[in-house]
Amino acid sequence: KILRDISLNSKDTEWCNISTLYDNEMSNENIDEILNDLDTRKVIERKENNTLLKIKVGLFKEWLTNN
């Protein structure tokens, strides 16, 4: 769910603002835990004090956006 949200929120741009993920039905702690796991696994990249995110593999982002 989080990866799909990142892909949809960065559909027209390269980066997703992290604040858009917290409108989710999951708790903030759960979202933070998932993001940390994705970062550790090098699935996402963070920048600007961790306020912006992107999925590292563009093809995976496109697939998530379209499916």
Side-chain angles (χ1 to χ4, degrees):
K1 174 82 173 126
I2 294 295
L3 280 174
R4 181 160 172 75
D5 288 348
I6 293 171
S7 73
L8 292 174
N9 289 312
S10 63
K11 184 177 180 182
D12 297 323
T13 64
E14 186 176 2
W15 297 89
C16 168
N17 191 305
I18 196 170
S19 65
T20 61
L21 304 178
Y22 292 104
D23 294 337
N24 203 316
E25 54 270 355
M26 286 192 275
S27 71
N28 289 356
E29 294 81 23
N30 202 7
I31 292 170
D32 290 338
E33 185 178 322
I34 291 168
L35 290 174
N36 288 334
D37 182 57
L38 291 170
D39 191 30
T40 299
R41 294 172 188 261
K42 305 212 183 291
V43 175
I44 61 170
E45 183 178 338
R46 299 178 187 214
K47 82 173 193 178
E48 295 189 18
N49 278 344
N50 296 328
T51 60
L52 299 177
L53 307 166
K54 78 173 182 177
I55 299 172
K56 285 189 170 188
V57 179
L59 185 59
F60 185 51
K61 175 187 168 185
E62 287 180 37
W63 183 85
L64 285 169
T65 302
N66 294 316
N67 292 296

